Amino acid sequence: MDVLLTGGAGYIGSHTAVVLLEAGHRVVVLDDLSNASQESLRRVEEITGRSLTFVRGDMLDQALVERVLREHGIDAVIHFAGKKAVGESTRVPLDYYSVNVAGTLSLLRAMQATDVRTIVFSSSATVYGELAVAPYLEKMPRDAFNPYGRTKEHIEDILTDVGAADDRWRIALLRYFNPVGAHPSGRIGEDPQGIPNNLVPFIAQVAVGRREKLVVFGDDYDTPDGTCVRDYLHVMDLADGHVRAMDYLADHGGVHIWNLGTGRGHSVLEVLHSFEKAVGRPIPHEVGPRRPGDIAAFWADASQALTDLGWVATKSLDEMTADHWRWQQQNPDGFAA
Ligand code: UFG
């Protein structure tokens, strides 16, 4: 298939590009490089020995997106592009609604105009909020409680309405849990700009000497060791889930929702200790106050993805941290080096 990846130069997009190219698909990446580097795509080509097409541009440029869809004979879109920092979204919500929601509307209009009606969308476990009880099931109520999460909820609703209005659409909503790790080659990985918001990138930067110490956000939660529990999954497993979802849509119309997680939770301290094992020495850390908005513990019930897609996460926490560390150690300054 000819597949367009919006935001394909980013962390999850670049790993998915590897899996798609290795499965024999042709890949076109549309990315504005606002939070990604084109170097990631050069390395995707190096890893796979195959070439891809890169277009620098904005999803909000509907005419450009239509041209790309037509010129490359695109069969399916995997839509990663969007802003993703929870804290920032509470400060500049309009930016989040413009890029994430209006950007998706523009993309969908371009797809409709060019008769491309297959889309796999990057949603998030964050849509469940506090109403659901772990393990989260796709049918549980959604209750996102920050602007970032609400953009994901709105986009899920838009796609559901679009699918209901016209049965030619084939739509997958993938609710990611906590993606970590890197391609085992160490050539591509997560390269956050500024201070990392997320746990594993932060630990990795402490381990490589870019930051002094990890602050563990609270150890007085009602969990086995008092720190928050999340469902971390390897980015290569996540990438594989996208390709399986896209393949499923080739035979199934309608709107489908799948959780992508391992189905088991790990605490902040477990992740830290796994990372220390990978590095071979202790990583400086201290316990600080809770981070506002954090939920004590959640993880996926990913059995629907197993039933429908034959997808199951295969990689352990130790493989995630070892691969993440290999990438960080070989690229201490990310793609900028
Ligand atoms: N944590 C720390 N110290 C840090 C960073 C994180 O202790 O420096 C803790 C957090 O408190 C949390 C756990 O590590 O308990 C995981 O935090 P992350 O920020 O890595 O991930 P979250 O589960 O909070 O998920 C967040 C958003 C999601 C979003 C995801 C990926 O809530 O909506 O990041 O961007 F999808």
Side-chain angles (χ1 to χ4, degrees):
M1 296 226 281
D2 288 275
V3 189
L4 175 68
L5 308 188
T6 72
Y11 174 44
I12 301 168
S14 57
H15 288 79
T16 303
V18 168
V19 180
L20 284 167
L21 289 168
E22 284 178 343
H25 298 291
R26 283 177 295 274
V27 170
V28 179
V29 167
L30 174 71
D31 202 303
D32 67 0
L33 301 182
S34 58
N35 190 26
S37 160
Q38 203 181 335
E39 174 65 11
S40 69
L41 299 176
R42 206 190 58 69
R43 296 197 187 177
V44 167
E45 293 182 324
E46 171 201 298
I47 290 168
T48 60
R50 291 165 192 265
S51 55
L52 55 73
T53 303
F54 173 63
V55 179
R56 183 169 186 170
D58 192 324
M59 280 184 301
L60 284 158
D61 185 347
Q62 192 185 322
L64 169 72
V65 180
E66 284 184 25
R67 202 161 63 238
V68 170
L69 291 168
R70 273 202 193 91
E71 272 176 14
H72 296 280
I74 296 296
D75 301 301
V77 176
I78 307 184
H79 177 30
F80 298 102
K83 294 174 80 66
K84 60 169 188 174
V86 173
E88 183 188 56
S89 79
T90 64
R91 294 189 292 275
V92 288
L94 284 178
D95 288 358
Y96 276 69
Y97 286 101
S98 297
V99 174
N100 294 10
V101 180
T104 301
L105 286 174
S106 166
L107 170 68
L108 291 172
R109 285 201 178 278
M111 290 177 68
Q112 182 165 268
T114 53
D115 234 349
V116 180
R117 289 191 172 79
T118 299
I119 181 167
V120 176
F121 171 61
S122 302
S123 190
S124 168
T126 201
V127 299
Y128 291 106
E130 275 169 321
L131 285 180
V133 180
Y136 290 172
L137 278 162
E138 289 87 349
K139 62 174 189 227
M140 286 180 176
R142 298 170 314 163
D143 178 33
F145 53 84
N146 54 62
Y148 159 74
R150 274 193 286 271
T151 66
K152 295 291 182 190
E153 245 191 84
H154 287 310
I155 297 165
E156 286 196 350
D157 289 341
I158 291 165
L159 285 165
T160 302
D161 288 342
V162 165
D166 181 341
D167 62 14
R168 289 174 297 174
W169 282 89
R170 295 157 184 261
I171 296 171
L173 312 179
L174 302 184
R175 293 182 180 158
Y176 310 162
F177 282 69
N178 289 56
V180 299
H183 188 270
S185 64
R187 297 295 290 156
I188 57 173
E190 188 168 13
D191 183 17
Q193 321 275 302
I195 301 170
N197 296 300
N198 300 116
L199 177 65
V200 172
F202 200 102
I203 294 174
Q205 290 196 5
V206 175
V208 84
R210 281 171 68 181
R211 311 211 171 261
E212 190 194 335
K213 57 175 183 277
L214 172 74
V215 178
V216 175
F217 296 145
D219 68 351
D220 57 351
Y221 287 96
D222 184 16
T223 60
D225 65 18
T227 66
C228 289
V229 168
R230 294 287 181 275
D231 185 338
Y232 297 91
L233 84 155
H234 197 293
V235 67
M236 293 305 296
D237 279 329
L238 182 59
D240 176 55
H242 289 75
V243 182
R244 286 174 187 260
M246 191 186 80
D247 289 345
Y248 183 92
L249 295 181
D251 304 319
H252 301 81
V255 182
H256 308 271
I257 307 177
W258 290 292
N259 286 338
L260 296 180
T262 64
R264 75 162 288 195
H266 290 285
S267 73
V268 173
L269 291 178
E270 282 180 301
V271 173
L272 177 69
H273 294 140
S274 171
F275 212 102
E276 287 176 328
K277 230 186 323 173
V279 177
R281 57 184 152 80
I283 293 172
H285 64 279
E286 67 180 31
V287 176
R290 290 182 176 196
R291 181 172 68 178
D294 272 342
I295 292 175
F298 62 83
W299 59 94
D301 179 323
S303 53
Q304 196 64 43
L306 176 60
T307 304
D308 296 340
L309 309 176
W311 180 87
V312 67
T314 58
K315 292 179 185 265
S316 67
L317 178 62
D318 285 347
E319 287 172 278
M320 300 176 212
T321 53
D323 287 341
H324 207 109
W325 175 234
R326 189 176 306 105
W327 147 255
Q328 187 72 76
Q329 193 178 24
Q330 290 178 15
N331 305 272
D333 297 309
F335 291 114

